[in-house]
Structures are given as structure tokens and as C-alpha cells.
């Protein structure tokens, strides 16, 4: 297994309105008996080495809410994994940045929702913009590469070019524009952050323009790939029948804060095993993993009735299996966002 997404903690110091974990996150100092302790996490790091893991993405929650985060990262540094961290960067101080540099962290994905405090703080909370930029300044002081991630919502979709200019100005390696995953949740903010079909196309067009205008690789997004759905009909030359177009059931796994192993961070209740009971290198041999792996053998024609009858099926392949599972609780259902783009409405 080459790629691991490790959710080290379910704690977070922010409550971002667009977060799909909005209603499940714990406060920074909340006691979470299910979360693994230091020694248990260090044992997992040893398993990474034994299982020939190359890349580890440390996620959360907010990773820097975990009190022993530096101990765990230090061990990962000793093992020479290519380690990157997704963070809101508000908890990064000078000492933290120096430690990250000493450990050899390969990169930070810092999240901002706009080029100004008014916009960012509306989504991430008052004062978060200032704190995040201070954390980024500390990263720059110690020459730690960082990229900015912005989730494109109804609130900030008209600020894409301004955000790109802002990120270039603060020295980011890259700006990543991410799709807003509007999924079933108790999150009461989804309805007014959700992008409509025309909003998505407008944002996608702007991103395509910026990719052409900026240095290669500075603008990162798959949103512009949605522009294919502006055509009146799909390109008949496209004949990709695959139903899984990511590394699901292949080279990637997720690990939750309690040690549960999942096929994707959007599939947290599909447990393939627990690394406190089953070694990571044995997970791919489990019946549960093999069931997920068999999805890769399916074609979009086999997946479900809606997709098999859709003229766009070979373009999108039924979409993201994770989003489909979050929406419908079924790995074989259509991805609702792809249906919105192709048909103008969700598949129900």
C-alpha cells in the first residue's frame, strides 16, 4: 500500500461552515477515549514502514489539535516518508514551524476561503484569517513549502481570480480550488453555500482561463474538467467504460483516529480492519478489501440503471464513488454532482 490518508484526530479548533464533518468534530480539549495514544500511533508508523508506504497525508480534524502530533511526525520524519499535512494553519507558531522544518515535512496544505478576512472569517470563524496568515508567515520563515486550498462555494465563487493573485503574492507554491461537497449532514449552512449548475460552469471557466494565464501547475483544480458538460452531447470518441477512476481499492487507504482502516475518507463506516488488530500489510488480503477492489472490475454499464442509460456515462464513469456513497449510502449509486452537471438535476 503506497498512499495513506491518516486522520489523526477528530478535534478541531474551528467550525467551518462548509466542512462535511461540521456536526461530528470535537473541541480541541475534549476527551476522546476512542482516539489512539502516542505509543499506538508510533506502532502504526512502524507498520507504514513494514508495508512499504511511501506517501502519508496527515489530516483531521485539525492535526495540530493533537497534543502529541510532533512526536508522531518526528518518527515519520525518521522513517523518511513523504509526509504532507492538511491544516487550517491557525495553530502554527514559530516553534511549530521550526520543528516541522527540522523533521523534514515535505509540504503543508493550508486552507483559506478567500483573499480577505471578511470572506474567510464568514466561513471559518472570526479572526481565523489573521491567525492563518501568521501561521503561513512562520512556514515561510523556515522555508516550508505550502499550498493554499480554497473550497469553491456560492459565497466565494466570484473571487477565484482575486484569490489566485493573493496566493501568488504570499508565496504559495500553488492554489488548489476544490469542489464543495454538499452532502447529507446536519450542517445547516449547506443550502446557501451550495453551487448551482451555472455557478459551477462559471467557476470552471475562470479556472480554465487562469490555468492558461499562470505558470504551469500554479493553478490546481479539476473543476475545469466539468466544462465538457457544456456540450450539447458527449464526444462519441470517448469510450472509457471504467466505473472507478481513482485509487480506490488499489494503492490508497484511509486510517481513522481509532485505527480503523477505510477504503476512502468519505467511507468511514466501511471498515476494512483496525491496525491495532490487523497489520496494515494484511489489510489488502482481507475479504472486505477484496470486495472494494472488485469495484474496479465493474464498468459504468454494470453499475446502476441511471448510469447505464445516461448518454454521458463514458465521460464521467458515474462520478466519485465516495460522493455517491455519502449521498445515497450505496457504492454503486450515481455521483449526484455529476448528474447535476450532465442533466441539470440530481438523480434520486
Amino acid at each position: 500500500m503506497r498512499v495513506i490518508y491518516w486522520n489523526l484526530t477528530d478535534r478541531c479548533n474551528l467550525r467551518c461552515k462548509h466542512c462535511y464533518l461540521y456536526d461530528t468534530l470535537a473541541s480541541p480539549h475534549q476527551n476522546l477515549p476512542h482516539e489512539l495514544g502516542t505509543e499506538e500511533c508510533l506502532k502504526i508508523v512502524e507498520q507504514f514502514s513494514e508495508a512499504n508506504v511511501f506517501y502519508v497525508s496527515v489530516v483531521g480534524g485539525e492535526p495540530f489539535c493533537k497534543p502529541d502530533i510532533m512526536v508522531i511526525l518526528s518518527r515519520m520524519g525518521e522513517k523518511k516518508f513523504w509526509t504532507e499535512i492538511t491544516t487550517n494553519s491557525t495553530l502554527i507558531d514559530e516553534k511549530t514551524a521550526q520543528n516541522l522544518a527540522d523533521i523534514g515535512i515535505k509540504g503543508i496544505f493550508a486552507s483559506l476561503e478567500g483573499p480577505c478576512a471578511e470572506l474567510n472569517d464568514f466561513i471559518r470563524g472570526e479572526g481565523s484569517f489573521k491567525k492563518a496568515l501568521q501561521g503561513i508567515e512562520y512556514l515561510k520563515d523556515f522555508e516550508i513549502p505550502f499550498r493554499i486550498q480554497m473550497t469553491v462555494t456560492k459565497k466565494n465563487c466570484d473571487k477565484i481570480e482575486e484569490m489566485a493573485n493573493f496566493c501568488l503574492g504570499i508565496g504559495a507554491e500553488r492554489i488548489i480550488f476544490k469542489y464543495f461537497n454538499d452532502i447529507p449532514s446536519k450542517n445547516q449552512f449547506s443550502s446557501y453555500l451550495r453551487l448551482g449548475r451555472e455557478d459551477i460552469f462559471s467557476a470552471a471557466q475562470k479556472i480554465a482561463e487562469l490555468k492558461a494565464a499562470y505558470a504551469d501547475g500554479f493553478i490546481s483544480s479539476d473543476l475545469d474538467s466539468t466544462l465538457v458538460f457544456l456540450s450539447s452531447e458527449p464526444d462519441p470518441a470517448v469510450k472509457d467504460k471504467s466505473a472507478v477512476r481513482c485509487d480506490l481499492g488499489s494503492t490508497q487507504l484511509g486510517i481513522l483516529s481509532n485505527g480503523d482502516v477505510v477504503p476512502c475518507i468519505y467511507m468511514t463506516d466501511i471498515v476494512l480492519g483496525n491496525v491495532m488488530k490487523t497489520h496494515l500489510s494484511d489489510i489488502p488480503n482481507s475479504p472486505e478489501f477484496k470486495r472494494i477492489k472488485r469495484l474496479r472490475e465493474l464498468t459504468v454499464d454494470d453499475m446502476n440503471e441511471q448510469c447505464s442509460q445516461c448518454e454521458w456515462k463514458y465521460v464521467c464513469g458515474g462520478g466519485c464513488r465516495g460522493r455517491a456513497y455519502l449521498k445515497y449510502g450505496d457504492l454503486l449509486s450515481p455521483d449526484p454532482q455529476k448528474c447535476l452537471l450532465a442533466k441539470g438535476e440530481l438523480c434520486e
Side-chain angles (χ1 to χ4, degrees):
M1 197 55 58
R2 302 294 288 164
V3 177
I4 296 292
Y5 294 90
W6 193 4
N7 176 4
L8 271 174
T9 182
D10 297 320
R11 300 180 182 94
C12 190
N13 61 317
L14 301 182
R15 285 297 178 273
C16 303
K17 291 182 171 73
H18 68 300
C19 182
Y20 77 100
L21 297 173
Y22 181 88
D23 54 334
T24 64
L25 293 171
S27 62
H29 304 294
Q30 188 172 336
N31 182 36
L32 298 177
H34 69 275
E35 285 198 359
L36 300 181
T38 306
E39 291 305 316
E40 292 169 312
C41 288
L42 294 180
K43 288 179 181 177
I44 293 176
V45 175
E46 292 299 322
Q47 290 191 33
F48 290 166
S49 184
E50 293 161 0
N52 295 318
V53 170
F54 170 73
Y55 174 84
V56 182
S57 175
V58 177
V59 297
E62 168 51 51
F64 292 106
C65 281
K66 189 167 177 62
D68 54 358
I69 180 67
M70 285 303 170
V71 177
I72 299 165
L73 292 175
S74 293
R75 183 62 60 84
M76 293 170 68
E78 292 171 6
K79 296 293 184 179
K80 306 298 183 184
F81 301 119
W82 190 283
T83 303
E84 297 182 323
I85 306 169
T86 295
T87 173
N88 58 46
S89 75
T90 62
L91 299 178
I92 296 176
D93 56 18
E94 184 176 16
K95 183 179 179 181
T96 299
Q98 182 173 12
N99 287 338
L100 293 174
D102 292 342
I103 290 168
I105 295 300
K106 298 300 184 182
I108 298 288
F109 291 90
S111 299
L112 292 172
E113 306 311 327
C116 62
E118 180 183 5
L119 182 52
N120 181 84
D121 292 3
F122 172 81
I123 294 175
R124 292 190 162 264
E126 185 176 356
S128 60
F129 186 74
K130 182 178 180 180
K131 291 177 182 177
L133 289 187
Q134 181 59 75
I136 288 169
E137 285 301 313
Y138 287 129
L139 295 175
K140 291 165 64 177
D141 289 344
F142 292 95
E143 300 182 344
I144 299 172
F146 70 95
R147 300 138 203 173
I148 302 297
Q149 296 185 137
M150 185 181 97
T151 301
V152 181
T153 67
K154 188 79 169 181
K155 189 70 177 178
N156 61 15
C157 62
D158 61 341
K159 300 295 184 182
I160 288 174
E161 183 169 6
E162 192 175 337
M163 186 62 173
N165 292 332
F166 173 79
C167 291
L168 185 66
I170 65 173
E173 273 194 346
R174 187 182 307 165
I175 169 65
I176 302 163
F177 294 108
K178 299 174 62 180
Y179 221 138
F180 172 45
N181 283 321
D182 179 31
I183 51 108
S185 169
K186 296 176 184 176
N187 184 347
Q188 66 268 34
F189 306 108
S190 287
S191 61
Y192 66 80
L193 294 176
R194 181 185 304 125
L195 291 167
R197 189 170 186 260
E198 296 308 313
D199 297 322
I200 295 171
F201 288 142
S202 177
Q205 185 62 56
K206 176 55 67 177
I207 288 169
E209 293 171 3
L210 292 174
K211 281 186 175 181
Y214 279 81
D216 185 38
F218 181 71
I219 307 292
S220 178
S221 180
D222 61 357
L223 261 169
D224 53 317
S225 67
T226 65
L227 292 173
V228 67
F229 293 105
L230 282 174
S231 301
S232 58
E233 58 185 23
D235 182 348
V238 177
K239 294 294 184 182
D240 184 355
K241 296 185 177 183
S242 58
V244 176
R245 301 184 181 184
C246 66
D247 291 328
L248 179 70
S250 177
T251 59
Q252 73 172 35
L253 288 172
I255 299 179
L256 306 185
S257 62
N258 65 350
D260 281 346
V261 181
V262 296
C264 167
I265 57 171
Y266 289 157
M267 302 174 185
T268 57
D269 59 349
I270 301 179
V271 179
L272 308 178
N274 186 290
V275 284
M276 291 294 96
K277 299 176 181 178
T278 305
H279 196 285
L280 181 64
S281 58
D282 292 329
I283 295 292
N285 299 320
S286 69
E288 294 82 4
F289 183 87
K290 290 178 179 179
R291 181 172 69 91
I292 297 297
K293 187 175 181 178
R294 281 196 293 271
L295 292 175
R296 305 188 68 83
E297 300 172 5
L298 290 178
T299 71
V300 68
D301 294 306
D302 305 322
M303 205 160 52
N304 59 70
E305 184 177 356
Q306 295 101 315
C307 289
S308 66
Q309 297 179 2
C310 178
E311 61 182 336
W312 292 95
K313 59 185 176 182
Y314 299 143
V315 174
C316 76
C320 171
R321 296 299 85 224
R323 282 198 299 257
Y325 187 75
L326 283 172
K327 176 68 175 176
Y328 302 112
D330 182 356
L331 289 169
L332 301 183
S333 290
D335 174 350
Q337 288 183 348
K338 295 296 186 182
C339 294
L340 175 65
L341 292 166
K343 298 293 188 180
E345 60 184 8
L346 299 182
C347 292
E348 298 294 348

